[in-house]
Amino acid sequence: AALRLQEDLTAEKQAELEEVGKRLNTLLAERVNELERYQSEFFGRLRDILQDNENIRIVGDRFLLPSELLFASGSASLGGEGQRELDKLAEVLLDVASAIPDDIDWILRIDGHTDRLPINTEEFPSNWELSTARAVAVVRYLASQGVPERRMVAAGFGEFFPVDEGSSAEALQRNRRIEIKLTDR
């Protein structure tokens, strides 16, 4: 009788646990859908604003800005034209971000990429340092425009994730880029 009672209690607890799991999955799915809605709004509005710049490409859920738009060759200092493009991005992001509820844990991911030509300077001993410094420069600039620092991440990928495997000047140029993505943390 004691064993049967324990088995019944265990079965009840298992059923309760399954119900809690279902509710948690439902809530999680609702949050993911909500973030996707804000991602779509951000993506659509940014696409409308940046569509006049033929240099900026959209690949999947990311914006690809050519490094030449933002930086001089071998540099991680933002130029004036790049600042103007980032101003547009910051304006849209701040507007969309103000509508995102605080309990949605979103980030703006800034990825720096280089071409496969090696760099070896005192400031940038490799493409990793250059790509990371460029991503950080974009994050710092966006922060200066009011984008919350805790909502951004900078990553440098060096030459290791090319979008074009070719070796032509055009292929190398396509690989030198900053990728921007609004995502969850």
Side-chain angles (χ1 to χ4, degrees):
L3 179 59
R4 190 172 305 127
L5 180 61
Q6 188 59 44
E7 287 172 347
D8 289 346
L9 288 173
T10 301
E12 285 178 28
K13 294 295 181 194
Q14 184 63 33
E16 287 177 23
L17 187 58
E18 287 176 12
E19 182 60 30
V20 167
K22 286 178 187 176
R23 287 193 318 233
L24 184 59
N25 285 339
T26 300
L27 287 172
L28 184 59
E30 288 173 1
R31 285 317 213 186
V32 168
N33 288 338
E34 197 171 354
L35 178 59
E36 286 174 353
R37 183 172 54 111
Y38 292 111
Q39 286 172 318
S40 295
E41 180 183 346
F42 170 72
F43 197 77
R45 290 175 59 192
L46 197 54
R47 183 181 322 142
D48 290 344
I49 289 172
L50 299 178
Q51 71 184 355
D52 294 337
N53 190 327
E54 67 279 352
N55 294 318
I56 298 174
R57 293 178 300 154
I58 301 170
V59 176
D61 59 353
R62 300 167 294 154
F63 286 92
L64 280 61
L65 290 80
S67 289
E68 290 79 7
L69 177 67
L70 304 172
F71 306 101
S73 179
S75 170
S77 296
L78 280 168
E81 184 180 358
Q83 289 178 356
R84 285 187 291 281
E85 293 300 326
L86 291 176
D87 287 342
K88 296 174 191 176
L89 169 70
E91 183 179 333
V92 171
L93 182 63
L94 288 169
D95 191 38
V96 171
S98 67
I100 299 175
D102 290 337
D103 60 341
I104 294 180
D105 204 8
W106 64 272
I107 59 168
L108 187 69
R109 184 172 150 170
I110 310 294
D111 297 337
H113 297 267
T114 64
D115 59 29
R116 65 180 179 193
L117 300 176
I119 189 170
N120 186 1
T121 66
E122 188 173 315
E123 187 175 11
F124 306 115
S126 75
N127 283 328
W128 266 332
E129 283 86 2
L130 177 58
S131 66
T132 301
R134 286 178 169 179
V136 168
V138 170
V139 165
R140 287 190 186 279
Y141 185 79
L142 292 174
S144 76
Q145 301 306 301
V147 177
E149 293 174 339
R150 69 181 190 88
R151 295 291 189 184
M152 292 187 286
V153 64
F157 290 88
E159 69 271 20
F160 296 108
F161 292 92
V163 292
D164 192 324
E165 295 290 340
S167 58
S168 67
E170 294 81 18
L172 295 174
Q173 182 179 13
R174 278 190 288 278
N175 290 328
R176 294 186 302 266
R177 67 198 187 279
I178 293 290
E179 292 185 5
I180 299 174
K181 180 179 179 178
L182 180 67
T183 189
D184 60 336
R185 204 165 82 92

